[in-house]
Amino acid sequence: MSSPRFLRGLAAASVFPLALLIAPAAFAHAHLKSQMPAADSVAAAAPKTIELHFSEGVEPAFTGISLKGPGAAAVKLGKPAVDAHDKAVLRVPVQGPMPAGSYVVDWHAVAVDGHKTKGQYSFSVK
Ligand SMILES: [Cu+2]
């Protein structure tokens, strides 16, 4: 029973307990919990700020968004900043115009533990 296949299985089995030990660290990643305007929502007016709520505190120097509007035109944004009392809340000022249409937010975050996450969502402006 010492076929290479068996040995590979044994190796995989011995790694498993280690994976369990490492797994809790994954919960420390900054996942996007909610945002304003909300994903898939229709905003009645152009927002002055894009606000992201993460599951963990983030590093504002390495966390931010890009915002693309109708025709994939990039909207000019200000410098992202975390809330003074809650490092999990990031606000990005909108500087460019946001005409009616659909918008895509591409976000990237570095959590206070140094782990990177990213994602995308959309909303519309009426
Ligand atoms: Cu993490």
Side-chain angles (χ1 to χ4, degrees), residues 32 35 39-40 66 68 103-108 118-122:
L32 188 60
Q35 62 293 116
D40 304 320
S66 80
K68 287 196 176 115
Y103 288 81
V104 175
V105 177
D106 270 294
W107 62 267
H108 63 276
K118 62 180 179 174
Q120 188 185 76
Y121 65 90
S122 313

Side-chain angles (χ1 to χ4, degrees), residues 25-30 111 113-116:
F27 294 110
H29 288 50
D113 69 0
H115 290 142
K116 293 178 186 173

Side-chain angles (χ1 to χ4, degrees), residues 88-101:
V89 176
L90 185 90
R91 293 189 186 91
V92 187
V94 176
Q95 292 178 334
M98 291 185 68

Side-chain angles (χ1 to χ4, degrees), residues 13-84:
S14 65
V15 164
F16 187 65
L18 186 63
L20 282 179
L21 283 175
I22 291 167
F27 294 110
H29 288 50
H31 296 289
L32 188 60
K33 289 199 311 185
S34 62
Q35 62 293 116
M36 278 171 47
D40 304 320
S41 69
V42 180
K48 292 189 166 56
T49 307
I50 306 294
E51 187 174 295
L52 306 182
H53 291 242
F54 291 98
S55 58
E56 297 290 322
V58 295
E59 297 290 351
F62 304 106
T63 303
I65 65 168
S66 80
L67 178 61
K68 287 196 176 115
V75 178
K76 194 165 186 261
L77 301 170
K79 201 176 163 202
V82 291
D83 185 276

